[in-house]
Amino acid sequence: TSLTYEEAIMTLHDTYDPNNIFAKILKGEMPSIKVYEDDVALAFMDVFPQSEGHTLVIPKLVQARNLLDMPSDYLGQYMLKVQKVTRAVEKALTPDGLMVSQFNGAPAGQTVYHLHFHIIPRWEDKPLGRHAEGGMAKPEELEPIAEKIRAAL
Ligand code: AMP
């Protein structure tokens, strides 16, 4: 990360930035390859996938930077959507396992400050790509994978 020590430790408790990249995706100001959307959550393909099918699920309705400041009343319904999309990824891509992960604060690996869970399919014989550091996937590579996930929802 290019943040200074002071900047990095601030990221855990800073105020929500309504112009963060996922807020822009929610507002339609930034493109994304969506796989699922309802009133509670939006799921879309990660553009720096750590494995084939790497999907993100973000809450709507709330301005939460991370799990710590997510209003408890909204957490349950959001997590049900994380599970729903995880099940669809499993059905669509039949991985050997799935990693579902979430980072709080830059020192923990967080780079975008709107709560999100990563769904990362894993195959026994394929190594995991580096977090937020692999190459940027092209829309034409992600779209067929997204279509399989949509079809499994
Ligand atoms: P984290 O590091 O947990 O905050 O995760 C942020 C994730 O968002 C990383 O895996 C990035 O690859 C991904 N990401 C960043 N910008 C975009 C974008 N515009 N569309 C989709 N995924 C993104």
Side-chain angles (χ1 to χ4, degrees), residues 18-19 22-30:
N19 287 316
F22 292 171
K24 287 186 175 168
I25 286 175
L26 278 175
K27 285 184 275 186
E29 294 171 5
M30 176 91 192

Side-chain angles (χ1 to χ4, degrees), residues 22 44-48 56 103 109-112 116 118 131:
F22 292 171
F44 54 96
M45 304 311 293
D46 194 303
V47 281
F48 297 98
L56 301 170
F103 305 101
Q110 189 174 13
T111 58
V112 179
H116 52 281
H118 297 258
H131 175 58

